Amino acid sequence: MKTYVAILIGIVVLFAVVFIGYKFTSGDENNIESNQEMQIRTANVSGSVTRAFEGDHTLAYSFGIPEVSSSTVDMDGGLVHVIGANGREVSVYFSYEGARGYSPVDYISDVVAVQVPVIDVTGTTTLGGYEWTTAETAGSEWYLAETADKQWLIVVEAKKTSHDVAVALVSSMSAE
């Protein structure tokens, strides 16, 4: 009988050591994952766009996109599409406004709202070096900002599912 008690105590102790060890190590893994921030590795997209109105006006731009994404350029450098694993995630458009002088809110109401019937201006936010006017539709987010010389508008349209990519992009935006 003493042998059975010793074996039973040994099994209980072994079970306790394994159970406590498992809980201890699995708890640490969860804490490590929850305490680490997700960082997106980025690649730099840069280019320039020139528009003619009473002379040539050139804007040089640069911004970051996820390293796993690619980009395509249309409209003589004025439109950049960021393509991720699920297709086009973000579109960046540079509009020369030296002639008509649209502000971000004017651009939304006079240009975007004509193409997208239901768009609501949601406010402003400062990201990177710009104050962005934000708007949204059912499936998209919009960020619009003026360059320092007020001659160009930067228009960013992103799928709502690509919010983090869009925020990282607008935060890294540089246009001169």
Side-chain angles (χ1 to χ4, degrees), residues 51-175:
R51 295 294 182 250
F53 176 76
E54 297 177 353
D56 285 344
H57 301 276
T58 301
L59 177 73
Y61 59 83
S62 173
F63 54 86
I65 63 171
E67 198 171 63
V68 295
S69 296
S70 63
S71 64
T72 61
V73 179
D74 291 322
M75 298 177 63
D76 296 328
L79 178 61
V80 180
H81 296 290
V82 177
I83 296 124
N86 297 323
R88 188 171 67 207
E89 296 178 326
V90 180
S91 295
V92 182
Y93 177 63
F94 301 96
S95 177
Y96 178 69
E97 294 302 326
R100 59 183 175 189
Y102 278 171
S103 71
V105 174
D106 294 336
Y107 192 87
I108 291 170
S109 63
D110 294 347
V111 177
V112 177
V114 173
Q115 303 294 324
V116 182
V118 180
I119 186 166
D120 298 316
V121 175
T122 56
T124 60
T125 185
T126 301
L127 294 168
Y130 299 94
E131 184 173 323
W132 298 89
T133 299
T134 57
E136 65 179 21
T137 63
S140 298
E141 301 176 330
W142 295 76
Y143 300 86
L144 291 89
E146 294 177 310
T147 58
D149 63 3
K150 309 259 191 252
Q151 297 292 306
W152 293 84
L153 282 180
I154 306 165
V155 181
V156 178
E157 177 190 9
K159 292 180 180 179
K160 284 188 174 181
T161 56
S162 301
H163 174 77
D164 293 340
V165 173
V167 169
L169 187 148
V170 299
S171 295
S172 67
M173 179 64 68
S174 173

Side-chain angles (χ1 to χ4, degrees), residues 32-49:
I32 290 170
E33 288 177 17
S34 65
N35 289 335
Q36 290 180 344
E37 288 185 27
M38 293 294 293
Q39 292 184 347
I40 299 173
R41 295 187 66 164
T42 60
N44 196 41
V45 173
S46 59
S48 65
V49 58

